[in-house]
Each structure stands twice: as structure tokens, then as C-alpha cells.
Amino acid sequence: MEALVDSRPLVVHVVYRFDMGGLENGVVNVINNMASDRYRHVIVALTDITDFRHRIVRDDVVFYALNKRPGHAIGLYPHLFRLFRKLRPAIVHTRNLAALEVLVPAWAAGVSVRIHGEHGRDVGDFDGNNKKYQWMRRIYTPFVSHYVALSRDLALYLTEKVHIARRRITQVYNGVDAARFTPTQISGHATVQGSPFVEAGLWIVGTVGRMQTVKDQLTLTRAFLRALEIAPDLKAHARLALVGDGPLRAQCLGLLNSAGAAQLAWLPGERNDVPDIMRGLDCFVLPSLAEGISNTILEAMACGLPVIATDVGGNADLVLHGVTGYIVPSGDVDAMARRLVELATSPEFSLTMGQAGRQRILDKFSLDAMVGTYQGLYDRLLGIGETPVQQSPTNQ
């Protein structure tokens, strides 16, 4: 008796590295929450795959790590061509510039639908004006069937800087698991395992993410110290949590030590209990120099936290200034410090902002909305069922 052929279309998701991060978390959410009877999924990492793979709960997802060396991936083209011919995917979906070139062997292997997603700014190109990166994207344009942009800013970048026609772009906001990321059920913030800040009455501000230049935790550290100068009374109850690991961790510790404020901060390194971390805060800050659509902002809002975020990428798409938090200029220590003081000294207003943020998540940034948009896009490009309404890159 012949084996049954699986008729579900296969989507191959290609990333540079499959490790903890906002982009990768988005892939996980799409795969875990898309109806399993509609699409099959494969994840290809050009470099390596870490234990982050266990975030995938479906048991029918296959992983390939290609161990790519630094530089262009042309040496992998024959292998990728053979892999695509073997898998025969209906869709190859790449994410960010580092994976874009994979659409060349996908095209050569006869994959008819080739989607490329822009999830955030490239390192060294925070304003999108790098001509080399624009040119590189234009080179691969003939191999892309359709583009996905995770923010209005990235959609405008594709149209205005890379010169992609608007009809070829769908804007898809990230969604957040509002059942996993929920506000604390107790008065105040929750106690987090390992945190030294357990006494009642503390006001804890923090951030979560890789401690790299683009995330700019140094500005948050300086703003926290500046807030203590503006309002010295905050030293009695204001505390700082910088969760994550990377080269900026030691620099932030150095700043805190030099200011004699190390005892007011907690830098635990990388953690895998982010929902609990969020519930242990009173305010979340994203001090990034560049962003696409930040998963951590969405997670913080889902946990009922007011958010202070820099005016980069899609941050202003998420945070309603003066309603769910504040948008401040990137790198502006004084502006961030003033907002920290305002929220730390206005607990009722801060709570109202957090509640408004939670409601905004439920209304606009649900996982169901995100997954539905991706599935509708896949269906449309494959000609399956009715054509869904496409999100315009210029409308919210």
C-alpha cells in the first residue's frame, strides 16, 4: 500500500540564526498558532540552531542548520538548490537582509512563491540611508514575489529607498500571546525569582533584550542615574532591572559602579522567564537606536506596563504617546529621565497607562490577527480560497 501524500503546502522559513530574538520569536508564534491542517513548516538557519528550537510546540516541524561561514552565501547555493528540490516547498519565506540571497537558489529550484520579510534595521544602518544596503536589496528584487514589512517605517523604506511597488508589500504587525503575557494579579508588581528587590513599595523600571549597541541600554542606565539627580527622593525606592546579556552589560555595570548606584540595579543576564520578569516591573523602557516592531514592547503592554520607547522604527506605531506611555528621542538621556521621574511619582497615572496598553494589545495586536494575516497572504499568493483584504503599508 502506497504512503499517503501530505497535501498541505510547505512553507520554508529562512533565518540567519535560529536563536532567542524578536524576529525568531515571531516565526515561532506564526508556526505554533497557524492551523496545523493548513500548512507544513520547515525552518532553515544559514548558521546554527540553538535550544530555542524547543519553543516550537508542533512535532511536524523539521530544522536544518547550514553552518554558513561569514560572507556571501553563494557557496551554499548548490546545497540550497538541492534542498529546495528535495523539499519542494510551495513558499520560501526569508527574513531580513542576511537571508535575502537565499531566494536566488529558491527561484532556480522552481519555488513559485518567494516572500521576503523586513523585520528591523540593519546594524550600521539605523536611519535606512546606507546606499549599499539599498542597492543590495534592489539586486534581489526580481527574485522576490512579495514583501512583508513589520512597521509603517519599514514599508516606507521599501517603497521610498528601495523603490518597491506598494502593491508588492503587505504590512503585518507582530502579535503577542495575551494569555501568556498578562498583568500581575496582585497589588503592585510580582516578585521575580533571583531578584534582590523584594521589599514592598519599590518602583522598578527595566528592559529586556540583548545588550548590544543597537539596544542602547547605556542610555537607559544614564537616564536612571539622571532621574535620581532630578528627584533625589527616588533613591529610596526606585530600582533598575537590565535583563539580557551582551557587550553592554559590563559597560552598564561600570556606569552604575562609578555613580555609586550598583546596589540600585539588577543585571541578571539572559533569562527565559520573560513573562515573570515583565510582571516584576512597574515600567518598561525600550531605549533602542533602531527597531522594526518590538516584541518586547508588545509583551510589556500585554502585562499592563506603561512603556517609554525611543522614536525609532515602529515604536510609535505601538506606543500611543501620553496614553499608553511615552515616545522620546533616541539617545536623549534628559528626555528619558524626565519621563521616568513622571511615572515614578505618579503611580495612579502610570497604572492607567498600563491598563490602556493592555487594552490596545487586545484590540489591535493579538496573535490571531497576526497569524490570520500571514495565512491570508500565503493563501492569496498560492491562489487558495478567496482573496483577503491586504493591509496597506501606509495605513494603520
Side-chain angles (χ1 to χ4, degrees), residues 3-34:
L4 294 176
V5 176
D6 195 329
S7 61
R8 295 173 300 166
L10 173 64
V11 182
V12 174
H13 304 269
V14 185
V15 298
Y16 182 75
R17 186 171 189 255
F18 198 64
D19 193 8
M20 185 176 292
L23 181 157
E24 296 80 5
N25 192 61
V27 175
V28 168
N29 284 335
V30 167
I31 292 175
N32 283 344
N33 292 279
M34 190 173 289

Side-chain angles (χ1 to χ4, degrees), residues 106-235:
W107 166 81
V111 180
S112 59
V113 176
R114 302 172 301 277
I115 300 172
H116 179 66
E118 292 287 348
H119 287 242
R121 293 294 189 197
D122 303 303
V123 175
D125 186 27
F126 297 154
D127 59 5
N129 288 325
N130 187 302
K131 299 297 183 182
K132 176 183 176 182
Y133 291 157
Q134 295 172 19
W135 172 80
M136 290 172 66
R137 286 176 168 85
R138 290 189 201 112
I139 288 294
Y140 293 105
T141 296
F143 302 99
V144 182
S145 305
H146 200 78
Y147 291 85
V148 168
L150 264 67
S151 68
R152 288 179 296 161
D153 173 67
L154 290 171
L156 289 172
Y157 170 75
L158 288 174
T159 56
E160 296 180 358
K161 301 292 180 67
V162 188
H163 307 308
I164 305 300
R166 290 184 179 181
R167 59 180 172 77
R168 298 180 62 192
I169 304 169
T170 296
Q171 185 186 327
V172 183
Y173 285 125
N174 276 345
V176 63
D177 188 344
R180 180 168 177 247
F181 289 89
T182 59
T184 178
Q185 299 302 308
I186 62 175
S187 178
H189 50 71
T191 300
V192 180
Q193 183 177 7
S195 171
F197 306 139
V198 295
E199 59 265 40
L202 293 180
W203 183 83
I204 304 174
V205 58
T207 193
V208 178
R210 295 169 179 161
M211 299 194 72
Q212 300 172 332
T213 300
V214 67
K215 297 302 181 183
D216 198 20
Q217 288 92 346
L218 287 170
T219 288
L220 173 54
T221 304
R222 293 187 178 106
F224 178 77
L225 295 173
R226 177 64 180 139
L228 300 182
E229 294 175 353
I230 296 171
D233 289 348
L234 290 181
K235 292 179 182 178

Side-chain angles (χ1 to χ4, degrees), residues 14 16 44-47 65-84 98 101-102 105-106:
V14 185
Y16 182 75
V44 173
L46 295 182
T47 54
L66 304 186
N67 303 308
K68 175 184 173 294
R69 296 176 180 176
H72 199 279
I74 194 168
L76 287 176
Y77 280 13
H79 178 72
L80 285 163
F81 175 83
R82 291 191 295 270
L83 180 62
F84 292 141
E101 59 183 307
V102 170

Side-chain angles (χ1 to χ4, degrees), residues 312-328:
V312 298
N315 289 353
D317 291 8
L318 308 182
V319 180
L320 297 181
H321 184 73
V323 178
T324 67
Y326 292 113
I327 297 295
V328 299

